[in-house]
Amino acid sequence: MKNIVILISGSGSNMAAIVETAQRERWSDTLGATVAAVISNKPVAAGLAVANALGVPTQVLDHTGFANREAFDAALAQAIDVHTPALVVLAGFLRILTPAFVNHYAGRLVNIHPSLLPAFPGLNTHQRAIDGGCRFAGATVHRVTAELDHGPILDQAVVPVLPGDTAATLAARVLAQEHRIYPQAVKTLLKA
Ligand code: GRF
């Protein structure tokens, strides 16, 4: 079985979209793949209850309990590697990862970012797109490399920026597309 481990920090809606797609499309039968675990660095992440409700085992690894980034990433890798994952999926995982962690998962680590990369890496992407006068915004699924939000692009979705948009309305429009493209990109990687 190809195990997928999903890392979250918050609401986990992308995680839920992937798990629901995997269940609906019976990935265990069709792809020999399953979401083996959801791991959160935040004990309060709402996505933990969502994952449990979907029947996926969860684990919390609170980064505040570690002395530094290296120590946390080493413990995180240990927790992930229990599942010998074919794919490690970052889904709203709000941590900068050390190069050692990224290298350890080279070719197996993907992320979704709420902008049309290479535009707007980093935070506050929707407000920055509005402030910049962008007519289009979107989301990008990409491989994770040592440079933040810069890995090779696997898929993108484009949405219009509409008159009167706020960061919240634009984020909601983009998020709906994230839920569409992320499960499909994961599926494509599992088939490769
Ligand atoms: C998404 O917009 C994702 O692109 C970004 O953080 C948000 C996470 O949302 N990295 P969710 O936790 O998947 O609901």
Side-chain angles (χ1 to χ4, degrees):
M1 194 61 78
K2 293 176 182 169
N3 282 337
I4 305 163
V5 174
I6 306 181
L7 307 186
I8 65 167
S9 300
S11 57
S13 69
N14 278 292
M15 173 277 298
I18 292 166
V19 172
E20 284 164 1
T21 303
Q23 293 178 348
R24 192 179 57 245
E25 297 184 350
R26 310 180 65 84
W27 285 4
S28 54
D29 297 334
T30 56
L31 297 170
T34 189
V35 179
V38 168
I39 301 175
S40 171
N41 67 309
K42 295 207 173 174
V44 296
L48 288 166
V50 177
N52 282 324
L54 289 166
V56 180
T58 57
Q59 190 179 343
V60 172
L61 199 65
D62 188 344
H63 65 274
T64 61
F66 292 85
N68 53 44
R69 213 175 270 288
E70 284 70 25
F72 172 72
D73 278 10
L76 179 61
Q78 227 170 42
I80 294 170
D81 286 347
V82 166
H83 305 284
T84 52
L87 217 52
V88 178
V89 174
L90 307 179
F93 187 64
L94 302 178
R95 294 279 307 167
I96 292 175
L97 297 164
T98 56
F101 183 94
V102 172
N103 290 337
H104 181 68
Y105 295 105
R108 293 187 287 164
L109 191 57
V110 292
N111 182 43
I112 191 157
H113 182 75
S115 80
L116 294 172
L117 291 174
F120 309 126
L123 296 174
N124 302 320
T125 53
H126 305 299
Q127 192 59 53
R128 287 156 70 200
I130 291 168
D131 292 347
C134 296
R135 295 298 191 260
F136 296 95
T140 303
V141 180
H142 65 95
R143 290 189 187 278
V144 176
T145 55
E147 196 181 351
L148 183 71
D149 298 331
H150 269 82
I153 291 170
L154 297 168
D155 200 7
Q156 290 186 311
V158 179
V159 303
V161 180
L162 300 176
D165 257 343
T166 62
T169 58
L170 180 55
R173 193 174 307 121
V174 171
L175 193 60
Q177 295 305 311
E178 295 183 37
H179 297 162
R180 187 177 62 78
I181 63 171
Y182 210 3
Q184 294 313 311
V186 167
K187 195 163 110 178
T188 301
L189 287 170
L190 291 168
K191 283 182 180 167

